[in-house]
């Protein structure tokens, strides 16, 4: 997905005007996955220290497994300057009003990444995977320096038609499976669409910008000329196909037979169907004090 989004952005890191507004010395990539965005950031800003964090182990070289299908491409000499560090899983869990973890784990010591504040904080397709993400989101907000940028990209993993109406699960086996899987995993399918309201109500940003990208899952409208969106659509369909395979192997989804998964895969390639998902790209600048 990173390469598809990079193509959509014309090779840029983000839609935010970073080069014209900031000279970053510290960058945080949360939920870095394969580390490709962090590597691109290190290339773009060679004087910046880039901290990349993920719940899974971060390999140091080559293309290695890092749990849940994560791996890392070989890094250039510039990118090898980055700090790589795992963080406790509890760092991503919601806190109560006093900042305590409501489900403490005595074997871990929850803490924020070292370095306190960053010129750029980035997270892509992270918060839809987190239960109680609204509370969790308050933490990276506080890590952005005054004048710095918070870059959040995420999806609304709810199937809609081209008129914007949600596709009811009774009409789509794919929607049934997706909804069931997200419920079992405590995922929030509307994380991306909630960003703008949360960021604006925080009161700490001088500007909150959002771009909404409607991505076709099945039918590609005739005359659609945005090749960047088409690349994202192709990548998203591959991601959804892999997700269906993961669902099929998940014991929690065991009561679904193979016919249901076959029907869902057919829906994704059925040109007569009208199914879309929406990706939200946000870039918000913290107020200067």
């Amino acid at each position: 997905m990173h390469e598809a989004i990079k193509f959509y952005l014309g090779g840029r890191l983000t839609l935010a005007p970073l080069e014209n507004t900031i000279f970053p010395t510290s960058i945080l990539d949360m939920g870095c996955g394969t580390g490709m965005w962090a590597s691109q950031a290190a290339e773009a800003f060679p004087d910046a220290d880039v901290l990349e964090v993920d719940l899974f182990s971060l390999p140091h070289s080559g293309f290695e497994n890092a749990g849940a299908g994560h791996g890392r491409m070989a890094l250039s000499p510039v990118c090898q300057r980055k700090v790589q560090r795992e963080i406790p899983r509890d760092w991503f869990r919601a806190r109560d009003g006093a900042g305590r973890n409501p489900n403490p784990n005595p074997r871990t010591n929850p803490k924020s990444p070292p370095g306190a504040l960053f010129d750029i904080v980035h997270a892509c397709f992270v918060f839809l995977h987190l239960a109680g993400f609204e509370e969790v989101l308050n933490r990276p907000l506080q890590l952005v320096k005054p004048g710095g940028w918070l870059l959040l990209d995420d999806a609304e993993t709810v199937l809609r038609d081209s008129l914007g109406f949600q596709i009811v699960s009774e009409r789509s086996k794919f929607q049934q499976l997706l909804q069931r899987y997200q419920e079992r995993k405590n995922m929030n399918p509307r994380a991306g669409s909630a960003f703008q309201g949360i960021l604006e109500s925080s009161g700490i940003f001088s500007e909150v910008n959002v771009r909404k990208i409607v991505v076709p899952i099945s039918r590609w409208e005739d005359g659609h000329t945005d090749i960047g969106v088409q690349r994202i659509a192709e990548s998203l369909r591959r991601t959804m196909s892999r997700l269906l395979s993961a669902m099929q192997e998940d014991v929690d989804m065991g009561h679904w037979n193979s016919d249901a998964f076959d029907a869902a895969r057919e829906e994704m390639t059925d040109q007569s169907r009208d199914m879309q998902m929406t990706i939200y790209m946000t870039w918000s600048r913290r107020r200067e004090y």
Side-chain angles (χ1 to χ4, degrees):
M1 182 63 78
H2 170 80
E3 288 299 326
I5 292 178
K6 181 180 177 181
F7 181 88
Y8 174 84
L9 295 174
R12 298 170 58 196
L13 282 167
T14 172
L15 290 167
L18 301 181
E19 295 82 0
N20 301 326
T21 59
I22 196 171
F23 297 96
T25 59
S26 55
I27 299 172
L28 172 64
D29 187 18
M30 297 176 54
C32 61
T34 61
M36 296 179 73
W37 188 92
S39 299
Q40 185 182 351
E43 294 278 7
F45 301 106
D47 295 328
D49 292 322
V50 182
L51 174 63
E52 49 182 358
V53 294
D54 202 288
L55 295 179
F56 300 100
S57 300
L58 304 178
H60 294 281
S61 63
F63 190 80
E64 307 169 65
N65 292 328
H70 288 243
R72 178 171 310 285
M73 296 298 293
L75 303 177
S76 70
V78 171
C79 297
Q80 289 174 3
R81 296 179 57 250
K82 294 196 308 298
V83 178
Q84 300 179 28
R85 181 177 287 111
E86 293 178 66
I87 59 174
R89 288 179 179 271
D90 283 355
W91 193 84
F92 278 107
R93 292 181 182 158
R95 289 334 197 224
D96 62 14
R100 298 178 300 239
N101 184 348
N103 298 300
N105 182 346
R107 293 177 298 175
T108 62
N109 179 26
K111 58 183 178 180
S112 61
L117 297 176
F118 299 85
D119 296 299
I120 299 170
V121 175
H122 170 263
C124 185
F125 301 116
V126 170
F127 290 95
L128 69 90
H129 297 286
L130 304 178
F133 85 95
E134 295 90 344
E135 291 80 11
V136 181
L137 183 56
N138 287 325
R139 310 187 74 202
L141 264 59
Q142 306 305 321
L143 295 175
V144 183
K145 289 181 182 178
W149 289 93
L150 176 65
L151 313 175
L152 300 178
D153 301 333
D154 229 314
E156 181 188 63
T157 53
V158 175
L159 295 178
R160 299 183 183 276
D161 61 25
S162 55
L163 297 177
F165 294 107
Q166 182 173 339
I167 297 174
V168 295
S169 59
E170 290 78 10
R171 294 176 51 199
S172 169
K173 191 63 68 176
F174 185 24
Q175 180 77 301
Q176 288 180 32
L177 291 168
L178 186 61
Q179 182 175 323
R180 174 65 173 171
Y181 183 77
Q182 291 177 139
E183 289 172 352
R184 297 290 296 181
K185 299 298 182 182
N186 291 320
M187 296 170 65
N188 191 317
R190 291 181 170 81
S193 57
F195 282 159
Q196 184 173 5
I198 295 172
L199 296 173
E200 289 178 344
S201 64
S202 72
I204 67 174
F205 295 99
S206 59
E207 59 178 283
V208 175
N209 306 279
V210 181
R211 177 175 292 185
K212 180 179 175 180
I213 307 172
V214 178
V215 183
I217 297 296
S218 54
R219 185 172 67 198
W220 185 257
E221 295 291 342
D222 293 338
H224 202 306
T225 57
D226 192 328
I227 304 302
V229 174
Q230 188 171 357
R231 285 283 189 92
I232 292 176
E234 292 168 354
S235 180
L236 185 58
R237 280 193 287 270
R238 289 193 296 268
T239 299
M240 290 297 103
S241 180
R242 290 193 296 269
L243 179 59
L244 283 172
S245 297
M247 289 184 197
Q248 201 164 1
E249 296 174 2
D250 194 316
V251 293
D252 290 336
M253 302 285 288
H255 68 283
W256 294 92
N257 58 38
S258 59
D259 291 342
F261 290 96
D262 290 341
R265 292 186 179 92
E266 288 178 7
E267 287 179 20
M268 287 198 299
T269 58
D270 184 354
Q271 292 295 304
S272 67
R273 282 189 171 268
D274 182 10
M275 298 192 305
Q276 302 177 338
M277 282 187 183
T278 305
I279 292 175
Y280 290 82
M281 291 186 172
T282 72
W283 60 106
S284 307
R285 194 172 194 194
R286 185 156 185 176
R287 297 183 186 278
E288 299 271 8
Y289 295 114

